[in-house]
Amino acid sequence: MFVSLYTTRLILNALGVVDFGIYAIVGGAIGMLGFLNGAMSSATQRFMSYAEGQGNQEKKIGVFNVSVVIHLCLAFVIVVVLIIAGLVYFNGILNIPENRILAAKFVYGSLIFSTFLTVINVPYEAVMNAHENMRYYALVGILESLLKLTVAFVCVSTNYDKLIVYGILMACIPVVTLSIMKVYCHKRYSECILNPFKYFRKDLAKEMLGFTGWNFFSTSAMMIANYGLGVVTNAFYGVVLNTALAVAQQVDAMLKIFSSNMLKALNPVIVKSAGAGDRTSFIKATFTGSKFSFFVFVFFSIPFLIETPYILKIWLGNVPDWAVLFCRLQVIASVLGQLTVTFPTAIGANGRIKGVSIGTAIIYLSSIFITFVLFRYGCPPYCMYLSIILLNVIGFRILGAFVFHRLLKIEYMDILKGCVIPCIVVFLLSFGLTYLLTILYEESFLRLCFTCIISCCFFVLFVCVCGLSKTERNILFNLFYSVKKRLV
């Protein structure tokens, strides 16, 4: 996380506000497929983890081979779509200075190549997730961060066009990390036997295509909405606003690292419990995982929300216009988004996702239309977050709770008491008291340290007192003692 933050500072200073904004908007067309890649991986992981819960080795091999065929076909389709879309993007849609269009096209082309490799590697990532191999993610994550830091240093020192160099080198990083994953999986996991002619099963392919199709539909809608908001912002306000938006999204991604990695380990547990028919463990893992993910994210978010201007000043040096407000709004949206964050996985484990996929697509695509209307009538840039928070966050969570209730017969009051209310109470109390105590002092590094300490103390207190049930406190204390024992 810290390497990535430092890398962003180097790249922003090396490229400048305009080129950084160009990379954000052009690379976003490809980067949104990283979001798609994660969702497709979770779809394949669902079948892999379900088979793991059933203890069916033959089915796991079948899932792997069917997934390889599906994603190879999908990769070719995506490449063709991106090439066609590029012809449209660079002829009237994107608001890019004339003298930087060639560099933007180089970035776009190089990232298409890395996207192809990323998509065909989805089955291997699904296998890693199903086996909950966090050690691999730790080591490769560190390697990826160091490679990005190396790219940043190259861009700072090169005499060539820095945007072109940055785009090409960033596209090369997935080649390294994905190659390592592929070799590792084939050597370590028995289900990674690549022989579609022998292990391809039509019945399994039909089931996976049905699930993957609806998952792809809803994920594509979310992906289009997230990128579409950037395009609408670019059309009305230019690449400088895209730079502020990119900074906000970078901060949000960094703050989510810990909770996201926790969910990588937790999601397979939820699906395996469903596959084994263990309803008690399934519901317990869903509720407890949602709360723990929320608390991990909020732990880092509260100090940042209070000290955003000072942190950005230290981090970036030259803070882009609107970046402070965008960062705060983005983090607030994510705080709300962490409520019931495990529910989509629980619903997916059930397998019946058609209704929730259609509802998700309607909610997310509506946010683009609302943002366009707001900007069309002269509303300021931050109004974009009104549609994000009301539709993409709150509306999506309400839909998830509704489907969770209908499919699994969980009462709404149990959802509120088990997840939502404890999380909101902990956040409001921790943030409110920390803000009141720190706002009295002038902005400084000393105040930043004081904010972090006070926030940590209040947060731990309120999580233990009103955020966790007795069972969950025991889980947390046992984890603490286990870590302490290993260290000692």
Side-chain angles (χ1 to χ4, degrees):
M1 179 182 70
F2 290 111
V3 170
S4 297
L5 290 173
Y6 179 62
T7 300
T8 300
R9 175 190 174 99
L10 288 177
I11 291 299
L12 179 58
N13 290 332
L15 297 183
V17 173
V18 173
D19 274 6
F20 191 88
I22 291 172
Y23 184 83
I25 190 67
V26 175
I30 306 295
M32 64 180 181
L33 291 170
F35 184 65
L36 175 64
N37 175 62
M40 298 304 292
S41 175
S42 67
T44 304
Q45 178 199 316
R46 183 263 172 190
F47 286 89
M48 193 71 70
S49 296
Y50 205 89
E52 184 85 19
Q54 294 175 321
N56 191 333
Q57 177 67 14
E58 184 178 345
K59 187 175 181 180
K60 287 195 293 181
I61 297 174
V63 168
F64 175 76
N65 281 270
V66 170
S67 180
V68 168
V69 174
I70 290 174
H71 286 91
L72 184 60
C73 297
L74 180 63
F76 281 109
V77 171
I78 288 176
V79 168
V80 172
V81 170
L82 285 174
I83 292 173
I84 296 172
L87 299 176
V88 179
Y89 284 147
F90 295 104
N91 287 279
I93 289 185
L94 296 182
N95 183 9
I96 296 174
E98 187 69 28
N99 63 330
R100 303 306 292 149
I101 288 181
L102 180 61
K105 288 181 177 180
F106 265 100
V107 171
Y108 190 79
S110 61
L111 291 179
I112 288 177
F113 170 71
S114 69
T115 299
F116 176 82
L117 295 178
T118 300
V119 173
I120 64 175
N121 201 67
V122 164
Y124 295 97
E125 185 166 344
V127 170
M128 300 291 296
N129 287 339
H131 285 278
E132 306 165 45
N133 192 336
M134 294 300 104
R135 180 179 299 171
Y136 169 87
Y137 280 107
L139 295 175
V140 175
I142 292 171
L143 173 62
E144 187 174 4
S145 294
L146 293 176
L147 289 174
K148 289 180 179 179
L149 181 61
T150 303
V151 169
F153 282 126
V154 171
C155 289
V156 169
S157 59
T158 185
N159 293 322
Y160 296 99
D161 189 304
K162 296 181 186 297
L163 181 58
I164 294 176
V165 171
Y166 182 61
I168 293 175
L169 291 180
M170 285 295 289
C172 293
I173 292 177
V175 177
V176 177
T177 56
L178 298 181
S179 298
I180 294 173
M181 180 185 290
K182 187 173 182 179
V183 173
Y184 182 85
C185 285
H186 277 289
K187 286 190 174 183
R188 184 174 178 86
Y189 300 119
S190 58
E191 62 266 35
C192 292
I193 301 174
L194 187 58
N195 190 345
F197 296 102
K198 180 179 179 180
Y199 295 106
F200 188 87
R201 291 170 46 186
K202 289 184 179 180
D203 59 330
L204 186 58
K206 184 178 179 181
E207 183 184 1
M208 288 182 65
L209 279 172
F211 185 91
T212 303
W214 284 113
N215 189 67
F216 181 81
F217 174 71
S218 60
T219 304
S220 296
M222 297 168 72
M223 178 183 67
I224 292 169
N226 288 334
Y227 183 66
L229 291 170
V231 172
V232 171
T233 302
N234 174 262
F236 282 92
Y237 295 102
V239 294
V240 174
L241 261 293
N242 287 115
T243 299
L245 190 60
V247 169
Q249 291 169 346
Q250 174 83 357
V251 166
D252 185 56
M254 291 302 101
L255 291 174
K256 281 181 179 175
I257 281 179
F258 296 101
S259 59
S260 297
N261 279 315
M262 190 194 76
L263 289 174
K264 280 183 180 292
L266 178 69
N267 287 337
V269 176
I270 295 174
V271 182
K272 286 177 186 177
S273 299
D278 189 348
R279 178 179 170 86
T280 302
S281 297
F282 171 73
I283 295 174
K284 181 180 177 182
T286 301
F287 277 26
T288 303
S290 183
K291 287 169 70 173
F292 275 41
S293 178
F294 179 91
F295 292 146
V296 169
F297 180 72
V298 166
F299 177 81
F300 297 98
S301 299
I302 291 176
F304 178 82
L305 284 171
I306 295 173
E307 299 288 353
T308 305
Y310 186 72
I311 291 174
L312 291 186
K313 193 185 302 180
I314 294 175
W315 174 33
L316 301 176
N318 181 25
V319 181
D321 295 338
W322 295 94
V324 172
L325 181 58
F326 277 16
C327 283
R328 280 174 164 163
L329 291 173
Q330 184 74 46
V331 172
I332 290 172
S334 292
V335 167
L336 295 172
Q338 288 293 308
L339 296 169
T340 68
V341 69
T342 55
F343 281 27
T345 300
I347 294 169
N350 184 269
R352 297 161 60 186
I353 63 170
K354 179 179 178 180
V356 73
S357 297
I358 295 173
T360 299
I362 293 172
I363 288 172
Y364 269 81
L365 294 178
S366 297
S367 66
I368 300 179
F369 174 75
I370 292 175
T371 300
F372 178 84
V373 171
L374 290 173
F375 286 174
R376 183 71 178 80
Y377 284 95
C379 293
Y382 60 79
C383 289
M384 170 182 60
Y385 281 96
L386 292 177
S387 62
I388 292 176
I389 292 174
L390 291 177
L391 290 173
N392 299 3
V393 177
I394 297 177
F396 179 63
R397 293 305 169 201
I398 291 175
L399 173 66
F402 172 76
V403 176
F404 193 71
H405 164 73
R406 290 289 300 273
L407 290 180
L408 302 170
K409 310 303 179 186
I410 306 296
E411 295 299 325
Y412 289 119
M413 191 54 64
D414 291 335
I415 295 174
L416 289 174
K417 289 182 178 179
C419 289
V420 179
I421 293 176
C423 291
I424 292 176
V425 168
V426 169
F427 173 74
L428 291 178
L429 289 175
S430 302
F431 176 81
L433 290 175
T434 303
Y435 180 79
L436 290 175
L437 288 177
T438 56
I439 198 66
L440 301 174
Y441 302 96
E442 290 205 8
E443 185 180 272
S444 65
F445 182 75
L446 186 61
R447 193 184 83 166
L448 174 62
C449 296
F450 180 66
T451 300
C452 293
I453 294 171
I454 292 298
S455 171
C456 178
C457 293
F458 280 135
F459 178 81
V460 172
L461 173 64
F462 291 124
V463 164
C464 292
V465 172
C466 54
L468 301 177
S469 65
K470 183 177 180 180
T471 302
E472 291 164 346
R473 278 195 293 271
N474 289 335
I475 293 173
L476 191 62
F477 291 150
N478 289 336
L479 177 63
F480 172 76
Y481 289 129
S482 175
V483 173
K484 180 181 178 182
K485 185 177 180 180
R486 289 193 176 196
L487 293 176
V488 174

